[in-house]
Amino acid sequence: MKIILMADQRKYDLLVNFCIAYKQILKKQELSSQFNLSRQIFEACELPVETLASDRFAQLEQLASKAHYNELDAIIYLRDPQEFNPHSDSSFDKLARACDANSIPYATNLATAELLILAIDRGDLDWRDLVRAN
């Protein structure tokens, strides 16, 4: 599965700890993340993580395009509800709409991230392989 791991800056440590906790599941997946996060995840867990564009706006636009073409299987984006950026939020809306249109699950908090990663581990999302193949 192609999984995107992202977080707002105040949620970086939470995402790194999430990766430590679910390392055994994540090591079987294709992971991508923001530059700083990918480095932190690798240092903490030794998980190979592809790095996304460094600009937040460009990342979200790039991911929305990939979601539109079903090139992603899941997104975990731990968002900080206290951090509001109108440019980032409008870009996230594009990403969320592309995910919704293509049935790509995305989690924006720790609880849904855990549900999503456990569903991936159980094989509940194996049908995504068929979607991407078409």
Side-chain angles (χ1 to χ4, degrees), residues 17-47:
N17 288 331
F18 174 85
C19 292
I20 292 168
Y22 292 102
K23 178 181 176 179
Q24 297 306 314
I25 298 170
L26 291 171
K27 73 179 182 180
K28 303 172 193 170
Q29 316 304 324
E30 293 178 48
L31 306 175
S32 297
S33 188
Q34 300 152 277
F35 177 75
N36 289 337
L37 263 175
S38 62
R39 184 177 42 80
Q40 289 179 13
I41 291 168
F42 180 78
E43 288 173 359
C45 312
E46 296 183 358
L47 292 170

Side-chain angles (χ1 to χ4, degrees), residues 56-93:
R56 173 65 62 114
F57 177 75
Q59 288 170 3
L60 294 173
E61 291 290 324
Q62 177 185 20
L63 293 174
S65 177
K66 286 184 176 202
H68 178 74
Y69 291 104
N70 261 316
E71 296 174 1
L72 307 174
D73 294 308
I75 296 174
I76 295 172
Y77 180 9
L78 301 183
R79 299 184 72 197
D80 183 354
Q82 296 177 0
E83 185 177 310
F84 177 76
N85 180 335
H87 299 295
S88 178
D89 286 347
S90 66
S91 296
F92 179 75
D93 288 345

